[in-house]
Amino acid sequence: MKKNYVFLLCLLVTSVFFGCKQESEEQKGDSVLPKIEIKSEKLPTENKNNDFITEPVSDSVKESSPWYNNKPSPYYKDCTITVYDKEGVETISEAKAEVKVRGNWTTSYAKKGLRIKFAKKEKQNLLGLNDGNEFRNWVLLASYKDWSFLRDMTGHTLGRLISPDYYSTDSTLVELYANKEYLGVYVLAEQQEINDNRVDITEAEDNTSVNVGYLIEYDKYYVSEDEECVFTIKHGEYDIYDRNNNKLRDYNIGYTIKNDLNNTKQRDFIESYMNNLWKLCYE
């Protein structure tokens, strides 16, 4: 199995390398990346129009690093979104949306990830991702620490190759402009959410049974979330060791439930389920 994964990874990297080389030769130096333009009106509380993209820092970061306390928390701002494909053809024209900074520790970086939420009646498909299906929610990953911009893309692609019958986000590289300011290259990807064409599970909020869908996140920042929507894995005697057989002392044990549950029985069920799953996998 490991040999198959290594082969797939080598095949993917080779395909990306030769694909980019061929495309760049055909374009003869011209940009081949799609483009997203964000336009907004400056708010009275902002010094600059793009403050909503460059200034906010998450509350979890401010709790652990007081020197960010003078920064605003992420907030949605009304915008319009225009999208151009790699040939420069306009595919979406000034669609109404809200945009805000997304992430936790990454919000302290100079280049921040963004969340796009289109208006309720303006679901959009961006650049043919997810087989052309339309959604309200999309994300722009900054890849601030990955100058190759290939780590996220490789992970997403491998997920779809290895498990084609299960959902894995689609993604593509884009250039981002906000109010005529160039912000660089981003990874356009999908918001992880319950949806027939994304995470296809049963909504829990209208069902009192424990036999519903649970959307959970392995979350380093679970301590900052509402206690009613988090749980921990009780490792107990099942310690974790690295490949050198050294016992790990500082590792995350928390999970956050991302969808709305209907009662405490549902929360207790998924906590028990995940703890039993951990025990079975470890043993």
Side-chain angles (χ1 to χ4, degrees):
M1 184 64 70
K2 289 184 178 179
K3 290 182 179 179
N4 291 338
Y5 287 176
V6 171
F7 172 76
L8 284 171
L9 179 58
C10 293
L11 180 63
L12 173 65
V13 173
T14 303
S15 299
V16 170
F17 174 77
F18 284 105
C20 291
K21 182 178 179 181
Q22 180 181 4
E23 193 168 30
S24 62
E25 289 176 351
E26 292 174 353
Q27 296 293 330
K28 296 182 180 179
D30 293 338
S31 173
V32 295
L33 291 181
K35 182 170 66 173
I36 295 179
E37 291 183 346
I38 299 173
K39 293 181 181 179
S40 64
E41 297 293 332
K42 180 177 171 296
L43 300 176
T45 55
E46 297 174 331
N47 293 321
K48 297 180 179 179
N49 201 348
N50 283 345
D51 281 357
F52 74 108
I53 289 176
T54 60
E55 295 300 311
V57 174
S58 73
D59 292 337
S60 59
V61 171
K62 290 190 282 188
E63 288 174 4
S64 59
S65 305
W67 50 85
Y68 289 110
N69 282 343
N70 64 329
K71 296 289 187 178
S73 298
Y75 58 96
Y76 276 112
K77 184 177 180 181
D78 291 335
C79 304
T80 61
I81 304 291
T82 301
V83 180
Y84 301 87
D85 64 18
K86 64 181 183 179
E87 280 78 32
V89 177
E90 185 177 282
T91 59
I92 296 176
S93 178
E94 297 191 349
K96 293 181 179 179
E98 296 176 303
V99 176
K100 76 168 184 176
V101 167
R102 68 177 296 275
N104 286 297
W105 189 256
T106 56
T107 62
S108 66
Y109 298 161
K111 182 185 177 189
K112 308 173 191 291
L114 302 175
R115 166 90 173 265
I116 298 174
K117 181 188 290 187
F118 287 102
K120 288 184 178 181
K121 296 182 179 180
E122 292 202 28
K123 292 182 180 180
Q124 302 288 344
N125 175 262
L126 299 186
L127 299 170
L129 298 185
N130 194 309
D131 296 326
N133 289 303
E134 297 180 344
F135 306 94
R136 288 188 65 197
N137 300 299
W138 299 84
V139 298
L140 289 163
L141 307 177
S143 295
Y144 181 69
K145 288 192 171 183
D146 176 20
W147 291 2
S148 72
F149 295 99
L150 289 178
R151 294 179 192 171
D152 289 325
M153 296 285 291
T154 300
H156 300 161
T157 304
L158 282 175
R160 295 192 298 275
L161 286 174
I162 295 171
S163 302
D165 295 331
Y166 293 91
Y167 167 76
S168 181
T169 180
D170 205 354
S171 57
T172 189
L173 296 176
V174 299
E175 291 187 302
L176 180 64
Y177 292 79
N179 299 307
K180 299 183 179 181
E181 179 182 352
Y182 179 63
L183 298 181
V185 175
Y186 281 71
V187 177
L188 171 66
E190 301 183 58
Q191 170 69 17
Q192 303 306 287
E193 61 181 351
I194 298 176
N195 186 288
D196 291 346
N197 293 306
R198 283 182 171 168
V199 183
D200 187 11
I201 58 177
T202 305
E203 288 278 9
E205 57 184 344
D206 297 325
N207 193 326
T208 58
S209 168
V210 298
N211 188 25
V212 294
Y214 298 89
L215 181 59
I216 60 177
E217 176 184 356
Y218 184 53
D219 188 3
K220 180 179 179 180
Y221 297 92
Y222 75 98
V223 293
S224 299
E225 301 287 348
D226 190 331
E227 292 183 1
E228 295 181 356
C229 65
V230 299
F231 63 88
T232 58
I233 296 296
K234 301 174 179 63
H235 293 144
E237 63 185 281
Y238 307 105
D239 295 317
I240 302 178
Y241 296 84
D242 65 16
R243 62 183 180 180
N244 297 318
N245 206 35
N246 295 318
K247 180 180 177 180
L248 298 183
R249 298 182 179 274
D250 183 22
Y251 51 84
N252 176 38
I253 62 172
Y255 291 77
T256 299
I257 304 169
K258 305 303 290 186
N259 57 316
D260 294 328
L261 301 183
N262 197 34
N263 54 54
T264 57
K265 289 182 179 180
Q266 292 173 338
R267 180 203 168 281
D268 294 343
F269 170 82
I270 192 61
E271 179 179 25
S272 175
Y273 182 96
M274 290 298 292
N275 272 278
N276 286 330
L277 179 63
W278 169 265
K279 181 179 178 181
L280 286 171
C281 289
Y282 192 95
E283 290 181 345

